[in-house]
Structures are given as C-alpha cells and as structure tokens.
Amino acid sequence: MMRQIFSLDGRRALVTGSARGIGRAIARAFAEYGATVAVHGVRASDALDQSLADVRAFSPQSVAVTGDLGEPGAAAKIVSAATTAVGAPDIMVANASIQVRRPWLEIPWEEALLQMQVNFHATLQLFQACFPAMAKQKWGRLVSVGSVQEVRPHNEMPVYAASKAALENLVRNLAKQVGEDGVTVNNLCPGVFATDRNAEALNNPVYAGQVRGKIPVRDFAQPEDAAGAALLLCSDAGRYITGVTLRVDGGMGIA
C-alpha cells in the first residue's frame, strides 16, 4: 500500500537541469517509480546522454530535451518539446539554476539579470507553461528547487541567494491560487550537496571543514538525498502538501 501511494505510474515528468547532480537523481527516481521523464540540459552532451540512459533503464519511453533557460522564450519551447515527445507534463521540477561567486560590489548588471532569469523568472515561465494542462486534468505537481541560502545567504552569492528566496515566496503565493485545480506547488530546498557545482570549493579541506561544522549532521548531502523528498512531493503521498519549503539540508537552515 505504501509503495502504491508513491507510485508515478502513468505520470509524465519534466526535470530541468537533469544532466547531472540533483536533477539527474530526481529524474532517475521518478523513472524508477514509474514516470516517463523528459530530462533536460542546456545543450546535447555526454552527461545528458548518460542521464537519459539511467532513466531509460526504468522508463524506456523517456526522452531528452534541450534549451538555454537564460534565453527569452526558452521555457515555453522546452515544455513544448517535452509535450510533443511524451505528452503534457503532470510533474514539473524546475531544478536548473546559475550560481556565481562574486563580492556584491563587483557584480555586473548582466550577470545579475542572467541569474534572476534562470533561477527565478524561468521557473515562473515553466510553471505558466505547464499549469493549464494540469488544471484541465485536475492533477499536477509544480516544484521549484531552492537553496539553504534562502535563510543562510552566502556573502559571495547575494544574487543567487535572493533569487532562491524569491522562489519560496512565489510558491506560497501560487499554492493558494491553484489548490482547487488539483495542483500542488512546493519548494525543495537543498543544503550543501557534494555535486559537480560544489566540487572545487569542497576539495579545499579547510573550507570543507568550516562548512561541515555549520551542518548539524556534520556531513554533505549526496544527489540521491533529494530524490526521496521530490518523490514525496510529486506522488499521491504528497497530495496534502502544498505551499511548503521542504529543506533537505542536514539541519543547516536551523543552525
């Protein structure tokens, strides 16, 4: 019975930024639990091919779509490509993001705009593109992927932190508006994950030790640690969860 309520049999999921890291782990978990998945990368790559191979081991009908969410109109095109290939997404996980380390006085305007576009505006646009089909069938899951920086901002990533904090507010706003349509909206909030993005910084043992000391469980997360939370939010097991930020951060957000 418990596995049944976590089942995604017959569902179609689009997970952006799923060539590697957290997005790849979520896409694989969705496929393992029965969904047909559209994995996404900015462009064709070996990493995207491997992610698709991982997913197809469980869901042979899954596909890969590409598009740069920093470009105007890309969100709608990505959703359209996924819809053409596997059908309109029942589940939309907006995971793709840009993170730039730079002191705030040195941030170029163009760089700030790009981070906001990919991290916040593209999420809104993806949600807008996916919602009508979800509302029509009275079932859907919209999930943004935030960051522990919503509550613990890094002093060299102020725009990134601000863009993720904006997602939390967006989720709370939309959840109130679409619940009666059978659609939930939630924010999955990772802490410090041992992914490609963080590899260079965490390879410094002094810095890694300082960061680990701020995490109550004293360990970094692995990409798979986000998969269970995503499965909860996107299956019938999470039908009564909406408007929340679910932190997968080892307690860092409360430290």
Side-chain angles (χ1 to χ4, degrees):
M1 174 62 180
M2 286 305 296
R3 181 178 172 88
Q4 184 177 347
I5 66 170
F6 283 97
S7 172
L8 298 179
D9 287 347
R11 300 299 181 189
R12 301 170 300 276
L14 168 60
V15 184
T16 63
S18 47
R20 53 173 53 87
I22 290 172
R24 180 170 173 173
I26 291 173
R28 179 187 171 96
F30 285 175
E32 187 172 355
Y33 275 76
T36 301
V37 183
V39 295
H40 162 263
V42 174
R43 61 188 64 86
S45 67
D46 291 342
L48 185 60
D49 290 343
Q50 186 56 59
S51 179
L52 179 60
D54 287 350
V55 166
R56 280 184 169 170
F58 301 100
S59 174
Q61 301 305 311
S62 293
V63 299
V65 295
T66 59
D68 185 348
L69 288 166
E71 297 178 354
K77 291 178 182 177
I78 290 166
V79 173
S80 177
T83 300
T84 298
V86 298
D90 306 295
I91 299 166
M92 168 70 246
V93 179
N95 171 69
S97 68
I98 292 179
Q99 182 187 85
V100 181
R101 289 173 177 257
R102 196 185 304 277
W104 72 275
L105 288 173
E106 300 175 12
I107 299 171
W109 182 243
E110 295 80 5
E111 184 180 276
L113 289 177
L114 181 60
Q115 287 187 82
M116 290 302 298
Q117 165 58 31
V118 174
N119 302 353
F120 175 75
H121 295 298
T123 297
L124 172 61
Q125 292 157 358
L126 288 164
F127 285 4
Q128 288 173 325
C130 290
F131 173 72
M134 294 178 179
K136 186 175 181 179
Q137 68 181 13
K138 292 294 183 179
W139 197 98
R141 301 288 186 264
L142 298 172
V143 178
S144 63
V145 176
S147 168
V148 69
Q149 291 197 41
E150 294 165 19
V151 292
R152 295 287 297 273
H154 192 289
N155 61 2
E156 290 191 339
M157 290 182 267
V159 176
Y160 176 81
S163 69
K164 295 299 187 175
L167 290 176
E168 183 175 25
N169 189 283
L170 178 68
V171 160
R172 288 190 283 112
N173 190 316
L174 298 185
K176 292 181 178 181
Q177 300 186 55
V178 304
E180 64 183 3
D181 295 301
V183 179
T184 64
V185 193
N186 291 294
N187 183 41
L188 175 58
C189 183
V192 181
F193 275 61
T195 59
D196 293 351
R197 169 176 286 178
N198 296 324
E200 182 177 353
L202 297 182
N203 282 338
N204 180 326
V206 175
Y207 179 77
Q210 292 171 343
V211 175
R212 189 178 280 111
K214 298 176 182 177
I215 304 170
V217 302
R218 299 295 190 265
D219 195 11
F220 304 130
Q222 298 299 319
E224 293 73 21
D225 290 321
L231 183 63
L232 168 64
L233 295 176
C234 294
S235 64
D236 284 337
R239 72 170 195 91
Y240 211 63
I241 303 172
T242 194
V244 307
T245 288
L246 178 56
R247 294 194 173 94
V248 184
D249 63 2
M252 189 176 182
I254 59 172

